[in-house]
């Protein structure tokens, strides 16, 4: 049972005048879209380096998106009658 799919992720970054960067990571599966959210704030005593804020906010948005996908997968696994996987189980570890 071969299966292939391509999902696209776009990351949108926004920085305000106070050094806060927000990110939205949008995953398009072709049938559904999911959005992960993340943010980063530059400490007032630190030098504002926009690239670092982008990296932190984007990483946090993608981590949020990943957690959403793992939660959905757990529900789907239970929906097909399988037991909820433990974090250390064999099979479909999440």
């Amino acid at each position: 049972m071969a299966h292939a799919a391509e999902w696209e992720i776009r990351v949108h970054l926004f920085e305000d005048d106070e050094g806060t960067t927000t990110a939205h990571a949008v995953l398009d599966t072709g049938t559904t879209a999911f959005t992960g959210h993340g943010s980063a704030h530059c400490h007032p005593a630190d030098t504002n380096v926009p690239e670092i804020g982008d990296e932190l906010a984007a990483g946090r948005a993608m981590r949020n998106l990943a957690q959403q996908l793992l939660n959905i997968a757990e529900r789907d696994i239970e929906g097909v009658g399988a037991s909820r996987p433990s974090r250390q189980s064999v099979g479909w570890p999440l």
Side-chain angles (χ1 to χ4, degrees), residues 5-94:
E6 182 174 325
W7 292 356
E8 183 175 302
I9 297 175
R10 291 193 176 274
V11 179
H12 306 275
L13 299 163
F14 311 91
E15 184 175 358
D16 65 21
D17 293 332
E18 286 136 30
T20 297
T21 303
T22 58
H24 302 154
V26 181
L27 168 65
D28 183 358
T29 69
T31 58
T32 308
F34 302 95
T35 302
H37 302 276
S39 64
H41 183 76
C42 183
H43 188 278
D46 292 339
T47 302
N48 187 10
V49 181
E51 293 81 10
I52 294 173
D54 291 351
E55 293 163 352
L56 285 169
R60 290 170 178 162
M62 289 189 281
R63 181 173 53 198
N64 177 257
L65 181 60
Q67 188 60 58
Q68 290 179 50
L69 290 172
L70 291 170
N71 293 343
I72 291 166
E74 286 181 357
R75 286 193 302 271
D76 289 347
I77 290 167
E78 290 173 345
V80 296
S83 61
R84 176 177 224 139
S86 70
R87 299 290 177 210
Q88 310 220 340
S89 69
V90 293
W92 290 344
L94 296 176

